[in-house]
Amino acid sequence: MSFRAYLDDSKKQNFLRDQSGMKKQLSALQQLIGIMDPELYKHLEKTDALNLFFCFRWVLIAFKREFPFNDVLRLWEVLWSDYYSNDFVLFVALAVLESHRDMILRYLVEFDEILKYCNELSMTIELDTTLAQAEVLFLSFSQLVADIDRRKAEDLPTPSTNEVRHRHGQGKIGNSATPTINMTLPENLRELLNAGR
């Protein structure tokens, strides 16, 4: 399958003149970051980077410029399989951000710095590690949705964002004195669990 056929089949919305398809995907990625890594989300908000403009190219052309040609072909096979999600590219983008999270949080305090840094990641991202991390992020997200649904069905409080961060092995964020806020899942994020077109 060629890239052109892939675009015709499933990614036409990325190239709509009004950019509505890209806006929808970047909005979903923004919400995904907010749920999976609230600390990174707050930092992006503070630096006026929540528009995720630095992820635009990644999502638009499915990382075509970020990896060597052979790696791009392998990545596209994974994305085209729709094995986990029709929008697995968003989990790959999240995996890249998570891989560089410490650098972003510690040293990049302006939008332009984040944009420049992410653009300079081109040809430096290790594919196998990124795909493994994207898979873990997807499975964690899937489990989180299942936990939210189970707790809702049992009328229990939903997991807090602190619990989510702890689940990823990053430790709790903030101090323990901060109140626990129950997480609600935006309905459009459930679409990220759809697989197989």
Side-chain angles (χ1 to χ4, degrees), residues 16 23 33 35 96 110 119 125-126 147 176 183 186:
L16 295 175
K23 288 176 186 171
I33 294 167
I35 286 175
V96 171
E110 300 288 331
N119 282 337
I125 304 167
E126 206 286 309
D147 288 351
S176 56
M183 181 184 305

Side-chain angles (χ1 to χ4, degrees), residues 24-26 28-29 32 59 63 79 87-95 137 189 192:
K24 179 181 177 190
Q25 288 185 84
L26 291 176
L29 179 57
L32 189 61
V59 176
F63 289 91
L79 297 178
D87 294 303
F88 196 67
V89 69
L90 301 182
F91 290 93
V92 175
L94 181 58
L137 288 164
L189 284 188
L192 298 181

Side-chain angles (χ1 to χ4, degrees), residues 67 71 74 99-100 123-131:
F67 294 99
D71 284 352
R74 288 178 43 226
S99 296
H100 297 273
M123 300 299 163
T124 68
I125 304 167
E126 206 286 309
L127 181 62
D128 292 329
T129 305
T130 301
L131 286 175

